[in-house]
């Protein structure tokens, strides 16, 4: 393995780096480029398929790894097709640093993998010499020669310096960009999410924000992340030069801890508080993290005081966040709190229609869509996933999509999503809806005011439970299965001709499923 000193690159990689820097400056904007990407230097090595970049601080290194990993790889790949890996390392420009060549792991297995390492000269390191994240690296000053230490002394000094590993950049799944599909135009609005949608629209409008922060809360897969991405898209469209940061609360905590370990919390604070729009998802993950909550509270205060926009989401309301400091809850409650409720049957069906319209070459029958909308009730993400699974299986097998195919494909999904509804539950709800006693439904009385609700209850029992016709008949006063068949057919006919009956059945089904 050959050791080499960092030199001024003059190879194909250097020319490619010049083009990559120009592209990054144009796409990222001057402010972001100057803060994060300008200090980055190319370190030329002997491996043409590996590009090595260096930054002056560990925090800056982590940030670039997190936000520009794939972009850097794609940019270099476009100029130099032979590039298979991009490495990024921490190097202090004010000290002489001897770097050992690196072998990275890629798609082609290497015969031998070496561990990346940075060997720092054994001179004492003063914390004040650590460069600012935003400072442009300056040429290294020549180090004062020192006498060679004894082997034991040298080993002790080297051991006291923690190595900074040059690890491969993480995959795109760790650094999701704004999803281009998650815009306001593609958000399906109804009464369950209208307040949250209108609040998000208002916050994204140009001009001074009418409120900040905006706190969105709702269950998993209800559309919180969709609205947050939509806010970012709309805000960037009207403010192209704005600094927008979108992260999870877990990412906030990770970056803050990394900054503390690197003794570079100033850069972390500066980055977040310079944002024109900050979006933090899943706030519940910082519950019980005292130091993270302290920094989060001060970040919220700084942004709100400066008139910046702040959007936060969680799976519950601020007052229900256990393990979160009361002052944070009070600060969040001072803005606008908007909840997103679970989607009802109509909204679920509308969402499926929107998804199917994006698949012009795929035909999904209405009865399949009705099945998905009625059986997968609580989570929009699971609903869309079930549709995607049916479509994918049909494309892979070449089979036609119909109700039988959908049930066979989604067997365990449908069984897991289905809530067990009992006949007793149906009888109690129907009797309460029609202002009857539960005993009336199982009695022998045949007055229409009782017979019609009884038929509706039988119809619902057949539609919403797995009980057989004789079992349903026995639950309604020991009636014959033919009576149940007649009741089911009668209600089916009346739903087509009698609006009151149809509305009553819809209301009862929605309440039972909800």
């Amino acid at each position: 393995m050959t050791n080499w000193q960092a030199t001024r690159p003059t190879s194909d990689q250097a020319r490619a780096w010049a083009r990559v820097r120009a592209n990054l400056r144009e796409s990222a904007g001057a402010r972001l480029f100057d803060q994060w990407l300008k200090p980055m230097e190319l370190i030329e090595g002997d491996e043409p398929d590996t590009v090595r970049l260096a930054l002056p601080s560990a925090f800056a290194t982590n940030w670039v790894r997190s936000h520009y990993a794939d972009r850097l790889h794609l940019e270099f790949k476009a100029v130099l097709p032979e590039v298979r890996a991009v490495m990024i390392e921490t190097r202090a420009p004010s000290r002489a640093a001897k770097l050992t060549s690196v072998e990275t792991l890629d798609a082609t297995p290497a015969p031998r993998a070496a561990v990346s390492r940075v060997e720092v000269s054994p001179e004492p390191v003063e914390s004040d010499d650590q460069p600012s994240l935003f400072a442009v690296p300056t040429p290294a000053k020549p180090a004062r020669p020192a006498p060679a230490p004894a082997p034991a002394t040298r080993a002790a000094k080297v051991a006291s310096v923690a190595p900074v590993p040059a690890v491969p950049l993480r995959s795109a799944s760790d650094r999701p960009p704004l999803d281009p599909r998650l815009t306001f135009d593609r958000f399906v609005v109804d009464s369950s999410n209208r307040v949250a949608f209108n609040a998000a629209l208002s916050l994204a409008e140009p001009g001074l924000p009418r409120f900040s922060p905006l706190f969105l809360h709702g269950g998993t897969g209800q559309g919180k992340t969709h609205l947050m991405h939509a806010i970012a898209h709309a805000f960037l469209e009207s403010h192209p030069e704005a600094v927008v940061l979108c992260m999870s609360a877990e990412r906030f905590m990770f970056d803050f801890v990394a900054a503390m370990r690197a003794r570079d919390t100033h850069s972390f604070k500066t980055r977040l508080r310079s944002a024109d729009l900050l979006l933090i998802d899943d706030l519940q993950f910082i519950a019980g993290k005292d130091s993270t909550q302290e920094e989060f509270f001060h970040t919220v205060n700084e942004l709100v005081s400066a008139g910046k926009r702040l959007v936060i989401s969680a799976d519950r309301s601020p007052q229900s966040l256990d393990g979160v400091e009361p002052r944070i809850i009070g600060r969040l409650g001072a803005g606008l709190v908007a909840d997103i409720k679970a989607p009802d049957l109509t909204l679920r069906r509308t969402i499926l229609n929107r998804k199917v319209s994006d698949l012009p070459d795929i035909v999904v029958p209405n009865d399949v869509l009705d099945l998905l909308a009625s059986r997968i009730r609580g989570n929009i993400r699971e609903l869309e996933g079930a549709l995607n699974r049916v479509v994918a299986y049909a494309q892979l097998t070449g089979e036609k999509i119909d109700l039988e195919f959908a049930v066979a494909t989604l067997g365990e999904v449908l069984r897991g999503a289905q809530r067990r509804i009992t006949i007793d539950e149906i009888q109690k709800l129907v009797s309460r809806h029609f202002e009857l006693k539960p005993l009336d439904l199982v009695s022998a009385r045949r007055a229409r005011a009782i017979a019609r609700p009884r038929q509706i209850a039988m119809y619902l029992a057949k539609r919403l439970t797995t009980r057989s016709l004789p079992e349903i008949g026995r639950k309604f006063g020991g009636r014959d299965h033919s009576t149940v068949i007649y009741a089911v057919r009668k209600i089916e006919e009346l739903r087509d001709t009698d609006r009151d009956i149809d509305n009553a059945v819809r209301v009862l089904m929605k309440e039972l499923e909800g």
Side-chain angles (χ1 to χ4, degrees):
M1 188 175 294
T2 304
N3 291 337
W4 47 272
Q5 295 285 339
T7 60
R8 185 174 182 82
T10 58
S11 66
D12 292 341
Q13 285 192 3
R15 288 187 286 273
W17 176 228
R19 290 183 57 183
V20 170
R21 281 175 64 91
N23 292 342
L24 290 175
R25 183 178 182 85
E26 181 179 354
S27 62
R31 182 191 295 183
L32 190 148
F33 178 86
D34 290 340
Q35 288 180 346
W36 297 102
L37 304 175
K38 187 175 180 179
M40 194 157 42
E41 292 182 333
L42 174 69
I43 301 177
E44 192 168 20
D46 299 327
E47 299 168 335
D49 61 346
T50 301
V51 175
R52 300 184 65 187
L53 301 172
L55 276 156
S57 75
F59 184 70
T61 301
N62 287 332
W63 191 90
V64 174
R65 284 176 184 165
S66 299
H67 296 83
Y68 276 83
D70 290 324
R71 180 60 183 273
L72 285 167
H73 185 266
L74 291 173
E75 290 282 359
F76 273 105
K77 193 82 172 175
V79 183
L80 297 175
E82 66 271 17
V83 170
R84 292 187 299 176
V86 176
M87 309 289 291
I88 188 163
E89 307 164 12
T90 302
R91 180 174 64 84
S94 60
R95 301 192 303 272
K98 185 166 63 177
L99 297 160
T100 306
S101 61
V102 180
E103 295 177 20
T104 60
L105 297 176
D106 53 32
T108 306
R112 188 176 181 180
V115 178
S116 311
R117 188 178 62 206
V118 177
E119 297 178 3
V120 183
S121 59
E123 298 170 358
V125 177
E126 299 291 339
S127 60
D128 292 339
D129 290 340
Q130 288 290 342
S132 168
L133 175 64
F134 307 107
V136 179
T138 55
K141 295 180 180 180
R144 186 172 55 190
T153 306
R154 180 177 180 82
K157 288 187 177 182
V158 171
S160 66
V161 180
V164 181
V167 298
L169 299 175
R170 287 179 289 181
S171 63
S173 60
D174 295 329
R175 306 163 304 282
L178 291 177
D179 192 326
R181 300 169 300 174
L182 304 183
T183 63
F184 285 126
D185 292 339
R186 296 186 58 80
F187 191 85
V188 182
V189 184
D190 83 334
S191 58
S192 66
N193 55 33
R194 182 170 287 109
V195 172
F197 177 80
N198 289 335
L201 270 178
S202 176
L203 192 69
E205 291 175 350
L208 292 175
R210 285 188 277 176
F211 50 83
S212 184
L214 169 62
F215 189 93
L216 302 172
H217 68 92
T220 301
Q222 307 292 14
K224 302 185 301 295
T225 302
H226 188 144
L227 283 180
M228 295 180 78
H229 282 235
I231 291 171
H233 281 302
F235 186 73
L236 285 172
E237 186 176 348
S238 57
H239 303 81
E241 296 300 320
V243 176
V244 175
L245 297 178
C246 183
M247 65 177 66
S248 65
E250 186 179 23
R251 185 82 216 170
F252 179 96
M253 179 177 65
F254 173 82
D255 286 354
F256 178 59
V257 172
M260 288 196 298
R261 289 177 178 172
R263 298 181 180 180
D264 199 8
T265 56
H266 174 73
S267 299
F268 175 83
K269 297 173 188 286
T270 302
R271 175 168 71 99
L272 264 66
R273 298 174 190 183
S274 65
D276 300 300
L277 170 63
L278 176 62
L279 306 104
I280 298 181
D281 204 0
D282 293 327
L283 183 66
Q284 67 271 9
F285 286 114
I286 68 169
K289 309 295 192 301
D290 294 340
S291 59
T292 302
Q293 290 188 36
E294 177 80 19
E295 180 57 33
F296 177 80
F297 174 75
H298 292 302
T299 298
V300 171
N301 270 348
E302 289 288 336
L303 290 174
V304 172
S305 300
K308 304 291 187 66
R309 289 165 168 82
L310 177 62
V311 185
I312 300 166
S313 78
D315 62 356
R316 67 207 77 166
S317 66
Q319 291 74 21
S320 302
L321 289 170
D322 297 328
V324 176
E325 295 181 6
R327 58 177 179 169
I328 294 178
I329 293 173
R331 203 60 164 114
L332 298 177
L336 178 62
V337 178
D339 67 327
I340 303 177
K341 300 180 177 66
D344 60 15
L345 180 62
T346 303
L347 179 59
R348 296 196 298 270
R349 189 64 168 81
T350 305
I351 291 171
L352 289 174
N353 290 340
R354 172 70 64 86
K355 291 289 292 183
V356 171
S357 68
D358 295 335
L359 307 170
D361 298 330
I362 301 296
V363 177
V364 182
N366 286 330
D367 57 353
V368 173
L369 298 178
D370 290 337
L371 172 72
L372 297 179
S374 62
R375 299 287 288 276
I376 303 176
R377 295 180 288 271
N379 191 319
I380 295 174
R381 199 171 291 142
E382 291 179 359
L383 182 68
E384 294 177 344
L387 176 63
N388 292 337
R389 181 172 178 177
V390 170
V391 171
Y393 273 51
Q395 291 175 328
L396 292 172
T397 61
E399 295 187 41
K400 180 182 177 181
I401 298 177
D402 55 22
L403 193 60
E404 183 180 356
F405 177 80
V407 171
T409 303
L410 299 173
E412 73 280 4
V413 176
L414 297 177
R415 286 191 295 272
Q418 187 173 14
R419 185 175 73 87
R420 283 194 166 279
I421 300 173
T422 65
I423 296 178
D424 289 338
E425 190 178 356
I426 292 172
Q427 290 174 338
K428 290 177 182 178
L429 183 62
V430 171
S431 60
R432 185 170 69 246
H433 181 84
F434 290 100
E435 299 180 352
L436 301 174
K437 296 178 181 179
L439 289 176
D440 291 333
L441 299 182
V442 299
S443 69
R445 297 174 62 185
R446 297 188 177 185
R448 175 169 292 189
I450 295 175
R452 194 69 79 216
R454 183 189 296 132
Q455 291 173 337
I456 291 175
M458 290 181 177
Y459 170 81
L460 292 173
K462 179 65 175 66
R463 285 286 305 271
L464 302 179
T465 73
T466 57
R467 298 295 183 182
S468 65
L469 294 175
E471 288 176 314
I472 295 173
R474 285 193 292 270
K475 279 287 189 177
F476 285 86
R479 286 174 166 79
D480 189 78
H481 74 280
S482 60
T483 304
V484 180
I485 293 175
Y486 173 80
V488 171
R489 290 176 178 172
K490 185 65 176 179
I491 298 303
E492 286 177 345
E493 293 174 2
L494 289 174
R495 290 193 67 182
D496 292 332
T497 58
D498 190 324
R499 180 174 296 181
D500 292 336
I501 293 293
D502 183 58
N503 287 339
V505 171
R506 286 179 180 273
V507 169
L508 291 167
M509 288 183 67
K510 184 181 296 185
E511 191 165 348
L512 287 166
E513 292 177 341

